[in-house]
Amino acid sequence: MTQSIAVENLSVWFGRHQVLKNVSLHARPKEVTALIGPSGCGKTTLLRCINRLHDLYSNATIHGKITVGTQNILDANVDPVELRRRVGMIFQKPNPFPHLSIFENVAAGLRLHGLACGRAATERVEACLRKAALWEEVKDSLNRPGIMLSGGQQQRLCIARALAIEPTVFLMDEPCASLDPVSTMRIEELIKELREDYTVIIVTHNMQQAARISQQTAFVLNGELVEAGPTAEMFIVAKDDRTEAYLTGQMG
């Protein structure tokens, strides 16, 4: 079931350095929300908090609330491993499991979480590779190592791997940053298809990409959420002068 994501008054520190300052954002079901802003402004930190990846840093402090569906994922009783099954994460650099085949890359999560085995797992792997628009390219070489694929294929393999464990939302951290234009187009088409079934939040530095694939855009600057609203409106008339300056290239 598609779930919304609500971030409320989120502040994050790493040691004494505050990275996010009282950020609130609502990502609606079956929409793509694009996070834009200069490098180092806090976009990736915001994304990673929704997946509890800040837990991996001993000096991280976080205040506020993040709700996925109806659950505050920052509650102490939330299992981060189970959360990361529900909240799919795609990183800037494709990260297929290096020692596993294409098939096993997708099937690994199914076995780990006890979601399918045997023939059911085989069918699930094929269905996920099809949904990730990769099946026709790899169906005759499923035993080939996943890292032998091209960059764009590896990224789609990672999406198929995330799909296999039945997430409810997708987080994407510049998934096209290292890809060529053709691979970027394929990933963008896939994101458009994913939003029919998922809530998607994507970090991107590509303004044209944000305009093409998102329904909502949020501009982050120096750890603050300057404004968020319908993409079509923001790209025509931004409410804040800082957003306008960034969208028109006056701010790096």
Side-chain angles (χ1 to χ4, degrees):
M1 181 178 67
T2 307
Q3 296 182 317
S4 63
I5 301 171
V7 178
E8 300 176 46
N9 303 317
L10 183 70
S11 294
V12 178
W13 293 260
F14 290 104
R16 295 182 178 181
H17 176 57
Q18 186 169 6
V19 181
L20 292 177
K21 306 169 185 176
N22 204 37
V23 171
S24 294
L25 177 68
H26 182 229
R28 291 177 289 273
K30 298 188 177 183
E31 287 191 2
V32 176
T33 295
L35 300 180
I36 64 171
S39 297
C41 69
K43 305 183 300 297
T44 293
T45 297
L46 173 57
L47 205 68
R48 287 172 172 247
C49 285
I50 301 172
N51 208 28
R52 288 279 296 268
L53 290 178
H54 65 278
D55 288 0
L56 304 178
Y57 300 91
S58 60
N59 66 338
T61 303
I62 184 168
H63 293 163
K65 183 177 181 180
I66 302 175
T67 304
V68 177
T70 59
Q71 183 183 47
N72 179 11
I73 65 162
L74 299 181
D75 282 347
N77 62 351
V78 172
D79 180 358
V81 175
E82 173 58 23
L83 171 70
R84 291 171 194 145
R85 184 189 73 79
R86 295 189 292 113
V87 180
M89 184 84 176
I90 305 298
F91 296 92
Q92 178 176 334
K93 184 178 179 180
N95 59 343
F97 299 134
H99 303 298
L100 297 184
S101 68
I102 294 169
F103 180 91
E104 289 298 331
N105 257 277
V106 182
L110 294 174
R111 298 194 178 103
L112 177 65
H113 295 282
L115 297 174
C117 60
R119 183 175 178 179
T122 300
E123 292 175 350
R124 180 67 179 163
V125 168
E126 178 179 341
C128 291
L129 287 170
R130 286 186 181 278
K131 194 171 183 65
L134 190 57
W135 174 254
E136 293 300 325
E137 298 169 40
V138 303
K139 64 182 180 181
D140 297 322
S141 55
L142 294 175
N143 292 324
R144 184 184 179 193
I147 58 171
M148 298 300 291
L149 296 173
S150 70
Q153 289 174 322
Q154 287 186 31
Q155 196 64 293
R156 283 181 282 150
L157 178 62
C158 292
I159 292 172
R161 185 177 68 193
L163 284 167
I165 55 176
E166 302 175 351
T168 58
V169 301
F170 262 95
L171 309 177
M172 297 185 169
D173 189 4
E174 295 191 72
C176 304
S178 59
L179 304 182
D180 61 82
V182 173
S183 296
T184 294
M185 180 183 67
R186 289 177 176 170
I187 295 294
E188 287 184 4
E189 289 301 318
L190 178 54
I191 292 171
K192 292 176 183 178
E193 293 178 11
L194 287 174
R195 86 170 183 88
E196 297 176 5
D197 300 302
Y198 302 94
T199 305
V200 180
I201 301 180
I202 180 173
V203 169
T204 180
H205 282 285
N206 187 324
M207 297 302 98
Q208 290 77 23
Q209 182 175 79
R212 286 192 298 264
I213 67 172
S214 71
Q215 288 66 55
Q216 176 180 227
T217 295
F219 175 53
V220 183
L221 181 65
N222 298 326
E224 299 180 7
L225 182 63
V226 175
E227 70 172 287
T231 299
E233 295 179 11
M234 184 181 295
F235 276 66
I236 295 174
V237 182
K239 296 178 181 178
D240 192 286
D241 291 342
R242 292 169 294 176
T243 309
E244 179 71 20
Y246 183 74
L247 291 174
T248 56
Q250 300 173 55
M251 179 192 300

